[in-house]
Amino acid sequence: MFVCLIYLSVIKVQAAGKPVSQDSIRPGQVWPDSDGNHIQAHGGGIIKIKRTYYWYGEQRGKGLDPKFRYVSCYSSKDLTNWKFMGNVVKMLPPDTLSDKWVLERPKVFYNAGTKKYVMYFHLDDRGYKIAQVGVATCDKPDGEYKYVKRFRPLGHESRDIGQFIDDDGTAYLVFEDRPFGFRIARLSKDYMDVEKEMTLVKAHMEGGAIVHYQGLYYSIGSALTGWNANPNKYSTAPTLEGPWTAFKDIAPVLTNTYGSQSTMLIKVVGTKKTTVIFMGDIWKPKTQYDSRYLWMPLEIGDGKLWLPEPKPWKLNIKTGETSFSKN
Ligand code: GAL
């Protein structure tokens, strides 16, 4: 049976170019988009516009022009089947940066006031000394984003970034400030700036992800071990300002978060159930184009959070219910 499953997923990859429809989310496996190509949206973030989800991430596919850095965009109505909308960023090093620069963890926010899509990303040199965010904007979710500027949010170092949009629509950037911990800061009205610090969580963590669930804020972060997986942890707080509890494991320590690293938490509010999905990356540093995803519905509530052992599962986007699937 096991051999058979592996064989089937290989067939799917080979079928690149042919339409592929998914009935399940399969953590750790190749995840074909609707054209049959493995999704390239690493370190990503997701926004929902009306009924459509957009997933942005690092495009690390094979055969890209190494002069550029790329951000991909995929769209979906069910969070399971994704259509590649194109590379929305194809960028040369901005202003004085050398060509050995890094663009990671893109996150897009939609500003209803200006009707602009505002992308933040981690901008750095290969030694990760610059520690800034870059900002690019576009008039549509999947158009060509134009670079605007780069800066250190509120003057602080910023490496891994995460995005959080609260239930009232307020947009926040989560960023790792190496000397101190990680910060959660509110964006300005037009989202073009990072305006107000809500909290500094004094824990040396990155891959910061937040969800507001049943009146409590949950944050997940990973330890600073580069591409290598580590035991991700969570903390809770009644408000974004804190106080944040001590960090606890989200999965059995020895599994190193089942080989993944957090990038975002997605809340699906259905007619019957609210499901929170852990969205993680399984990095393959030597073959980044083959990096995988670990998405699983979390067991969450009453201040507790747990990542169940990954296995294929289905999401009913209308009701919010999930079930495990046979393959
Ligand atoms: C990780 C980080 C990734 C990338 C990598 C580079 O810690 O989460 O986004 O920056 O380091 O080594």
Side-chain angles (χ1 to χ4, degrees):
M1 180 64 177
F2 184 56
V3 174
C4 192
L5 290 181
I6 292 177
Y7 182 62
L8 279 179
S9 55
V10 170
I11 295 279
K12 279 198 173 130
V13 188
Q14 286 174 344
K18 299 221 177 80
V20 172
S21 147
Q22 311 283 315
D23 59 358
S24 305
I25 292 175
R26 298 182 174 85
Q29 295 189 28
V30 164
W31 192 342
D33 65 13
S34 55
D35 297 323
N37 301 308
H38 179 47
I39 293 176
Q40 293 291 332
H42 313 286
I46 286 183
I47 50 166
K48 190 180 179 194
I49 307 292
K50 295 192 180 130
R51 283 187 54 242
T52 305
Y53 292 93
Y54 292 93
W55 179 4
Y56 302 88
E58 298 162 18
Q59 164 63 269
R60 293 179 177 274
K62 274 179 169 174
L64 297 168
D65 185 337
K67 286 203 296 294
F68 297 94
R69 301 290 172 271
Y70 299 84
V71 176
S72 59
C73 172
Y74 293 81
S75 75
S76 173
K77 296 260 196 261
D78 61 8
L79 288 171
T80 304
N81 290 281
W82 291 92
K83 180 174 166 44
F84 180 52
M85 307 303 287
N87 292 324
V88 293
V89 169
K90 181 181 176 189
M91 200 175 145
L92 289 167
D95 52 70
T96 56
L97 278 191
S98 88
D99 56 1
K100 294 189 178 59
W101 69 296
V102 166
L103 187 169
E104 290 176 348
R105 295 187 178 265
K107 306 282 178 280
V108 171
F109 299 86
Y110 173 63
N111 189 291
T114 61
K115 299 202 164 28
K116 292 251 185 245
Y117 293 80
V118 182
M119 180 188 292
Y120 278 74
F121 53 83
H122 172 195
L123 179 148
D124 228 317
D125 59 290
R126 279 201 198 142
Y128 292 94
K129 294 282 185 295
I130 292 175
Q132 290 182 333
V133 289
V135 175
T137 62
C138 190
D139 293 333
K140 19 182 224 168
D142 54 351
E144 200 181 309
Y145 283 68
K146 290 269 181 296
Y147 171 77
V148 180
K149 60 179 173 178
R150 60 189 176 104
F151 60 95
R152 282 188 168 179
L154 300 165
H156 299 297
E157 292 186 18
S158 171
R159 292 188 176 83
D160 278 10
I161 59 165
Q163 80 184 119
F164 172 58
I165 300 167
D166 209 340
D167 297 337
D168 65 1
T170 313
Y172 300 90
L173 188 76
V174 185
F175 60 99
E176 194 248 325
D177 181 6
R178 189 64 49 97
F180 302 104
F182 70 89
R183 297 180 196 265
I184 305 170
R186 197 180 66 209
L187 300 185
S188 61
K189 200 164 171 238
D190 62 3
Y191 293 180
M192 295 302 288
D193 228 319
V194 178
E195 190 174 75
K196 182 177 186 298
E197 179 170 312
M198 309 309 291
T199 198
L200 161 65
V201 184
K202 289 183 185 150
H204 294 286
M205 295 189 130
E206 59 185 9
I210 293 174
V211 70
H212 191 179
Y213 182 77
Q214 291 181 346
L216 205 57
Y217 291 88
Y218 293 74
S219 80
I220 291 187
S222 94
L224 311 178
T225 56
W227 301 120
N228 301 321
N230 58 68
N232 290 192
K233 293 182 189 298
Y234 79 98
S235 161
T236 64
T239 67
L240 282 180
E241 286 95 333
W244 291 91
T245 61
F247 279 83
K248 299 192 190 98
D249 292 309
I250 71 165
V253 179
L254 291 177
T255 70
N256 281 329
T257 324
Y258 300 102
S260 73
Q261 182 190 25
S262 59
T263 184
M264 190 167 186
L265 292 166
I266 312 165
K267 185 163 77 172
V268 178
V269 182
T271 52
K272 293 197 182 148
K273 203 183 164 218
T274 296
T275 288
V276 178
I277 303 170
F278 172 84
M279 190 175 153
D281 293 287
I282 299 178
W283 298 109
K284 303 212 176 183
K286 296 206 176 89
T287 49
Q288 285 283 17
Y289 57 85
D290 189 35
S291 291
R292 308 284 172 91
Y293 310 95
L294 190 158
W295 288 23
M296 277 300 285
L298 288 171
E299 289 163 14
I300 185 169
D302 296 328
K304 297 204 175 66
L305 181 154
W306 191 248
L307 173 66
E309 189 179 350
K311 44 185 160 175
W313 60 286
K314 292 180 197 220
L315 171 67
N316 183 323
I317 201 74
K318 276 210 183 97
T319 65
E321 293 169 305
T322 62
S323 58
F324 290 112
S325 44
K326 289 188 196 70
N327 55 48

